[in-house]
Amino acid sequence: MVKKSFSNLLKNQQVRKINGHLDFQGLPLVFKYMESSQVFGNAEECNSSESGWTMYIGSPITNDDHSDDGDKDDDGDHEHDVKHDEDDHDSDDSMASDASSGPSHRRNSWGNVKDEGKKNCSIKKAKDPVEKNGYEGKKKEKEEDESVFAAKKASVGVQSSEKPQPHLNFYPHGNLLIRTFNSSVEKEKEPKSSETKTNEDYPSGEYEFKEVGGWKKFVVKLRTLIAFPWERIPNGSVLTMKLRGQISDELKSPFAPGLSLPQICENFLKAAYDPRISGIYLHIEPLKCGWGKLEEIRRHMLDFKKSGKFLVGYAPAFGEKEYYLACACEELYAPPSAYFSLYGLVVQAAFLGGVLEKVGIDPQVQKVGKYKSMGDQLACKKMTEETCEMLTSLLDNIHGNWLDKISVTTGKKREDIENFINEGVYQLERLKETGLITNIKYDDEVMSKLKERLGIQKEKNLPAVDYWRYSRVREWTVGLSGGKDLIAVLRASGRISRARGPFNIPSTSIISEQFIEKIRRLRESKRFKAVVIRIDSPGGDALASDLIWREIRLLAASKPVIASMADVAASGGYYMAMAAGVIVAENLTLTGSIGVVTGKPNLGKLYEKIGFNKEVISRGRFAELKAAEQRPLRPDEAELLARSAQSAYKRFRDKAAFSRSMPVEKMEEVAQGRVWTGKDAVSRGLVDAIGGFSRAVAIAKHKANIPQDREVTLVELSRPSPTLPEISRGIGNTLVEVDRTLKDLLEELVSSDGIQARMDGILFQKLEGASYDASLLSNLIKDYEI
């Protein structure tokens, strides 16, 4: 029974049968039913109130112990999945090389796959003797547990007064808990934690272009001939893409406005292998996205250039963000009248304290975490020292990264670029003289140069295919069909809430009810080898974030789960990410923000000025805590809010420490509401590796024991379907583009009160250029901001 239950481990030679007994890497196994509270202490995340099987790994045990436990195993009637995590034991398993070769992952839709997975190994759970016999049964179980410890002590020569200490790492699998004992008493083997693997230890996921052979060229040519009409493109075509405005991290339907990051990156990949595409002509104009998305696009631009095809850029209006992309082009042109502003980077923070004071609003704010600055926007008139320190650090990271990448791309010294910018450049000719752009030309002149390059006569048009049409070309058509191994991709973008509100826009919010349903489908499915959760969220409802955290933890107990961060994964966004086995972030991803602010507005003076009166009749000492905004908080009410804020902060901090296998004291040092860049977060244990989506996929393959050079199929769980406003473009745009701040305010007012887990909106808006507005006044009405 036990041998069959651990078939997967047996196949990998991680568990062997020696002399009739199971053996794990030289240490025998024994199972014992016991209360989980005796195994894990009071850690609520491991179901300490329940009972279940415990697997001991340690020094030799008697034959009687094996046979007894095996009998108990046969009597069980409930199955629980067992997961062996290779990162928590020294393993001799051979691993594939870190660098992936060629396009090693492909996408597919949820409905177009077959069940190709294998069943998880499991063991049977015996009936709970504590439930059967009450207190006597519990006492008997405790005595049996002590006898097991005594047997363990005798086998390794431990004195009777000692109790062997378990490893600090415990892994919950429903009612199954696993703990490990070392066969040596003198020196216990330390468990591997998140700190034992560094950024360099994970597969890089670096792209390597593979030359296409003659047979594959023939197959691709045949596929293009039988492709759908909208996929048929003339040979020698130029892919033209205009990058401007908002860039979403979600997939978009063909009728939806705006750009999609995964579709942009997919177009670069397809174009590299499509024999009909001769090169890319990239228009770059003012962008409204964060540095994380820019880094992902820039990486795909550099990867595309490995194909040998040309990549020409045209920038009629650009600043630091746009030039960050544009300089990665082989050639870069700008019109004589181009708008450009390479003056440096700035971050701003606005404060409403003085304004609210003048109109008669007293924001009574208490924050937990000295770097948590959301409350400062309402209660303060200027920046605190801690906020200034945090913003300065973020700005230094962004500015330094910009200078480094521009220096590498242009081949100029970092100091020379910085000095040139500090001169105050306002003439486009200076950029040409310095070599920061190739030449000054209009769009039609650049098109003429492209025709000359392709040998097209001047009177003929340049064969071109735009972003929207090329996004509909399938990867299969250009010979990029994936492998049999499936990896699920689950995207989480926007604000987190428990239920869809009247003003929620599809693909711009994370609804926990729907998101959890997808996670559960993944947990029940056997077809997927691993899951990549792509997060681009400043947070939202704390309860919703916690419910999602729990489901991701359960999912990670059954298969590898990798979190990939885009522009921002802070507060509630980081809450979700920390449940994954490995967290991957870009250098400039904003993350962390583990802190709490609570408050309530006192509108008494405002009501007095406008002649408004509000009277409240209540029952209960604290009944008016939320209702009576016409008066200040009483001392006991303020104390209650402060205590509840402290409690919420400790739950968030302690859960983060547990998830990251970090002592609470160490987590406290990096929490306190502080926002970190990915580069700083990885050195502080909040993030495991630096990289983009491709590296997250490479790590998922590594964790699922899939060779790096083997292609996999990426299955997007939520491919978008066009909505009526999207199909009716004119009406749809009018509805979708209504001022987001007003909609957020209305949504806050009509929703129920609850703890929020959202990052400072000013930070996100100013540093990232995205439109997650804070709705400051409405936020104050809420209980918490985490």
Side-chain angles (χ1 to χ4, degrees), residues 104-119:
S104 57
H105 52 80
R106 307 287 174 258
R107 287 186 176 83
N108 200 347
S109 63
W110 172 266
N112 296 336
V113 294
K114 295 181 180 180
D115 191 351
E116 300 177 14
K118 296 180 180 179
K119 294 182 179 179

Side-chain angles (χ1 to χ4, degrees), residues 480-494:
L480 296 179
S481 53
K484 293 182 178 180
D485 295 317
L486 305 180
I487 294 179
V489 179
L490 189 56
R491 297 184 180 274
S493 295

